[in-house]
Amino acid sequence: MNKNTKHFTMQGNAGLMEGLLDLPLDGKKPRGIALVAHPHPLYGGTMENKVAQTLARAFVALDYAVARINFRGVGQSEGEHDRGHGETDDMELLYHHMVEKFPGLPVALTGFSFGTYVQSQLAQRLATAGTPVEGLVLVGAAAGKWQMADIAPNTILIHGENDDTIPLQAVLDWARPQDVPVLVIPGADHFFHRKLNHIKSWVIALWLGREQQKDDPEDA
């Protein structure tokens, strides 16, 4: 954790939720909010998972205020694993907490593995409520493992070529009918061992490129 990382707790639907808040470096004001969701809690996933940390660092580098929580039953977070349903509810509570804390800022949802299922469900829920998020960044998307919600065409999908937990083909089959490109990291396994710098650099580059395209209607 960097010196701008703060530990916090808040009340969730199943009890206390434990989280981390990362603020932009050098005292900069946040220009956005990012919520990070970690991998499956029953397989050792926590908010300090290396890929989740890498996603947090990427958005800190983009000057976003970044929040992540331990899902139910992990660390100090109370409750029991709820197959993604309660976890989505808890992430929605975090969303409202952050929007209240940093009003008027755009929101990005990002996650890894099981966390991508949670974030896809939350993005769909918020869009239905008329408050769509700025965008989604999904790494190691849990296609074929969980019932992923439909995603917007500008979603950033990053996957490992040699992922044997969630095969690349399953992600391509899920993304194809939605016309969503998939960035493949050559040689990467599910946990992106020795490839974490690739994740950070590509998330930053793709997010900035996405913003540039949004501001240039000729490229839309």
Side-chain angles (χ1 to χ4, degrees), residues 99-121:
V99 168
E100 183 177 344
K101 186 177 180 67
F102 300 100
L105 296 182
V107 179
L109 302 181
T110 182
F112 168 52
S113 195
F114 170 78
T116 66
Y117 165 71
V118 171
Q119 298 293 43
S120 73
Q121 294 293 327

Side-chain angles (χ1 to χ4, degrees), residues 73-155:
V74 178
Q76 296 179 32
S77 290
E78 298 173 342
E80 297 181 356
H81 175 62
D82 193 32
R83 299 176 296 169
H85 306 300
E87 288 77 8
T88 302
D89 292 341
D90 291 342
M91 191 61 67
E92 185 177 8
L93 285 176
L94 180 64
Y95 164 84
H96 290 296
H97 172 76
M98 290 294 289
V99 168
E100 183 177 344
K101 186 177 180 67
F102 300 100
L105 296 182
V107 179
L109 302 181
T110 182
F112 168 52
S113 195
F114 170 78
T116 66
Y117 165 71
V118 171
Q119 298 293 43
S120 73
Q121 294 293 327
L122 178 56
Q124 185 179 72
R125 184 183 296 184
L126 293 173
T128 300
T131 54
V133 296
E134 182 182 18
L136 271 171
V137 178
L138 306 180
V139 176
K145 293 280 187 180
W146 294 83
Q147 190 62 43
M148 301 284 291
D150 290 341
I151 54 175
N154 63 355
T155 297

Side-chain angles (χ1 to χ4, degrees), residues 4-213:
N4 289 344
T5 300
K6 302 182 184 299
H7 181 271
F8 69 90
T9 57
M10 59 180 288
Q11 188 63 36
N13 292 315
L16 198 69
M17 296 196 307
E18 176 189 23
L20 292 172
L21 173 64
D22 295 280
L23 297 174
L25 303 178
D26 301 322
K28 294 179 181 177
K29 290 185 177 180
R31 66 184 189 91
I33 297 166
L35 308 184
V36 181
H38 69 68
H40 204 298
L42 298 186
Y43 298 99
T46 78
M47 64 182 176
E48 297 189 80
N49 166 268
K50 289 184 178 181
V51 179
Q53 286 189 35
T54 299
L55 290 169
R57 289 168 183 159
F59 275 95
V60 167
L62 290 164
D63 295 331
Y64 276 54
V66 184
R68 42 196 160 126
I69 54 171
N70 272 330
F71 287 138
R72 300 178 180 194
V74 178
Q76 296 179 32
S77 290
E78 298 173 342
E80 297 181 356
H81 175 62
D82 193 32
R83 299 176 296 169
H85 306 300
E87 288 77 8
T88 302
D89 292 341
D90 291 342
M91 191 61 67
E92 185 177 8
L93 285 176
L94 180 64
Y95 164 84
H96 290 296
H97 172 76
M98 290 294 289
V99 168
E100 183 177 344
K101 186 177 180 67
F102 300 100
L105 296 182
V107 179
L109 302 181
T110 182
F112 168 52
S113 195
F114 170 78
T116 66
Y117 165 71
V118 171
Q119 298 293 43
S120 73
Q121 294 293 327
L122 178 56
Q124 185 179 72
R125 184 183 296 184
L126 293 173
T128 300
T131 54
V133 296
E134 182 182 18
L136 271 171
V137 178
L138 306 180
V139 176
K145 293 280 187 180
W146 294 83
Q147 190 62 43
M148 301 284 291
D150 290 341
I151 54 175
N154 63 355
T155 297
I156 295 172
L157 293 178
I158 301 177
H159 211 77
E161 177 189 21
N162 296 333
D163 190 328
D164 58 2
T165 299
I166 305 167
L168 173 60
Q169 189 61 52
V171 176
L172 293 173
D173 291 344
W174 170 65
R176 188 179 299 110
Q178 302 182 83
D179 199 26
V180 181
V182 181
L183 174 69
V184 179
I185 305 296
D189 60 14
H190 183 61
F191 292 99
F192 294 88
H193 290 116
R194 300 182 180 178
K195 304 288 185 178
L196 293 176
N197 285 337
H198 291 66
I199 297 294
K200 181 179 177 182
S201 60
W202 275 112
V203 167
I204 292 171
L206 291 171
W207 193 261
L208 290 174
R210 182 181 174 282
E211 290 182 341
Q212 183 178 20
Q213 185 181 41

